[in-house]
Amino acid sequence: MEKLLLAIPNRCTGCNRCTYACSAVKEGMFIPSKARIKINNFAYEGYSVQSVCFQCPNADCMKACPEDAIIKNERGVIAININKCTRCGECVSACQYGMMEQYDSGVPYKCDLCGGSPACVGECNFGALVFKEADKVSRKLRSQQMKQRQTDGRPDQKRHKLAKVILKEAVRVPRTANYMG
C-alpha cells in the first residue's frame, strides 16, 4: 500500500532536527541547506512550516525533463537517474513546491523518502512529520497542502510563499487532530 510523508505544520517547533538528520544521511555531514526537507520559520507569527516533497502523482519535474532522467519507481517515488541528467535545471523550475534543487555542479536533488524509512520522520519528536499508509485523513491533508502552487521564483521563494498559505490553513486544524493513524 502507498505510504505518504506528511507535514503537520501546527506541530512543528522549528527545531530543524529533521534537516540535520536528512543532510547527515544524504550528504554525509550536517548541512541543513542541502537537506531534502526544509523548515520555513515565521518567528513573528510563532510558527514554523515544513516543506516536503509530495511525490506528486503527475510530477511536473518529471514532465519537464527533456532527457527522461526523472522517473517514478516501483514504490511510487519520484527519482533522478543522474546518468541520464544533463543538468539543464528544467526540473527545478518546474517544481511548483520548490522541492527540487541543484548542487553548484548542476546536478539536481530531491527527497527519495530514504528508501522507505525517512530519516527526518525518525528524528521528529513532536509528530510534525509522519510517514504512514495512505488513508482518508492523510490524503485529505496532503491534498489541501498540494492545492497551493507557485510557479515563479527560486525554490526557496516558492517554499516561503507556499508555507505562508499552508500556515494559515494549519492554524485552523486542531493541534490534537490525530494523523498518526
Side-chain angles (χ1 to χ4, degrees):
M1 180 172 241
E2 176 189 25
K3 289 184 95 172
L4 302 176
L5 175 61
L6 301 172
I8 305 168
N10 53 351
R11 291 186 181 169
C12 182
T13 65
C15 70
N16 276 293
R17 287 174 59 122
C18 56
T19 63
Y20 283 101
C22 177
S23 64
V25 168
K26 296 300 181 186
E27 301 297 325
M29 59 184 84
F30 298 119
I31 311 173
S33 64
K34 298 294 183 214
R36 278 58 172 170
I37 183 171
K38 304 294 182 178
I39 303 298
N40 305 279
N41 290 306
F42 299 96
Y44 293 119
E45 290 91 346
Y47 283 92
S48 296
V49 178
Q50 321 88 310
S51 292
V52 298
C53 177
F54 292 115
Q55 305 297 335
C56 302
N58 297 308
D60 291 332
C61 60
M62 192 165 62
K63 293 177 195 172
C65 182
E67 301 299 322
D68 295 325
I70 301 175
I71 57 145
K72 185 174 282 198
N73 69 21
E74 64 282 349
R75 290 182 301 118
V77 176
I78 307 297
I80 304 166
N81 180 339
I82 299 303
N83 296 325
K84 287 179 127 182
C85 179
T86 61
R87 295 148 175 74
C88 69
E90 292 296 320
C91 56
V92 175
S93 298
C95 178
Q96 296 182 44
Y97 305 103
M99 295 310 298
M100 179 77 77
E101 296 191 272
Q102 285 177 292
Y103 292 109
D104 290 339
S105 66
V107 173
Y109 63 93
K110 62 171 289 307
C111 176
D112 63 3
L113 299 175
C114 293
S117 183
C120 57
V121 173
E123 203 55 42
C124 184
N125 291 332
F126 303 99
L129 294 170
V130 178
F131 189 60
K132 63 176 286 201
E133 289 186 10
D135 61 13
K136 189 176 180 177
V137 174
S138 61
R139 287 183 193 279
K140 183 177 180 180
L141 175 65
R142 184 175 89 157
S143 175
Q144 287 172 336
Q145 291 176 353
M146 287 183 76
K147 285 180 186 175
Q148 314 308 321
R149 292 183 168 82
Q150 291 294 322
T151 55
D152 297 325
R154 298 182 318 263
D156 61 320
Q157 293 168 328
K158 290 178 185 178
R159 287 190 305 268
H160 186 79
K161 290 176 189 174
L162 290 168
K164 280 191 168 270
V165 174
I166 289 171
L167 171 66
K168 290 175 187 170
E169 295 296 319
V171 174
R172 295 183 201 154
V173 176
R175 285 188 177 268
T176 56
N178 184 8
Y179 297 102
M180 303 301 259

